[in-house]
Amino acid sequence: MTRRRRIYEGKAKVLFEGPEPGTLVQYFKDDATAFNNQKKGVITGKGVLNNRISEYLMSRLSEIGVPTHFMRRLNMREQLVREVEIIPIEVVVRNVAAGSLSQRFGIPEGTPLPRSIIEYYYKSDELNDPMVSEEHITAFGWAAPQDLDDMVALSLRVNDYLSGLFLGIGLKLVDFKLEFGRLWENEEMRIVLADEISPDNCRLWDVKTNEKLDKDRFRQDLGRVEEAYQEVARRLGILPEGGPSDVKGPKTIQ
Ligand code: TMP
Ligand code: ASP
């Protein structure tokens, strides 16, 4: 087997040099961390499921015109993506109070928010990803005002589309985190969706029972963590019983 050059290793993924210039191979690990690496564990099979879930969601988003770094899935744990210059900002979109928003403002988990709220965090493990404002982002040059406008517009489209998609399979999209990158084509620069979209960076609750089907099961030691990721894939129609050739679209819940 030929060894590939490792470009970057994060907490949940590894990036390798891709087969052509301007491409990378994104490898999904089973490793899970929470609270900025203070809690570490392994969620067996998570990498395989997140690879598929992110492939599915990025492909659907691409079909509605949201530009993404995703090119194609290569195998169980790897996907081919375009090499982008990652903008060091995590964009969090919230529809329902949970997690750090509930803590910060004392709003009970599950309270619907009057409107979708966008927050920004500066990507820095050393600083524990501090929350930042638009002023910080543009003043420190992490993103230009136009980049930020594009990121917000794309985040809201992703929120509208994914909220509907998940509702159709009986899941409430409580909140999620997105990352964006700059993609250079000729002399032109475009902002595209990067990283992954999976139960690692979304909160997904069953519409009827409010059961948590995401990484909060790991963060809060709720048990049945693997099963939660499997259930999301199953509802999306991408966990086929008869093998990968059986893949169907999502089954709408009435
Ligand atoms: P929070 O409530 O902990 O701020 O998280 C908001 C959303 O962002 C939630 O869906 C989990 C996701 N998230 C990440 O993907 N990475 C992170 O480092 C953090 C803190 C949150
Ligand atoms: N991914 C972050 C970490 O590892 C935080 C989280 O998702 O809770 O620390």
Side-chain angles (χ1 to χ4, degrees), residues 28-49:
F28 287 76
K29 302 191 276 188
D30 284 348
D31 298 355
T33 65
F35 316 118
N36 196 24
N37 240 342
Q38 284 179 56
K39 182 180 169 85
K40 290 193 180 94
V42 170
I43 304 175
T44 309
K46 171 173 85 78
V48 174
L49 292 165

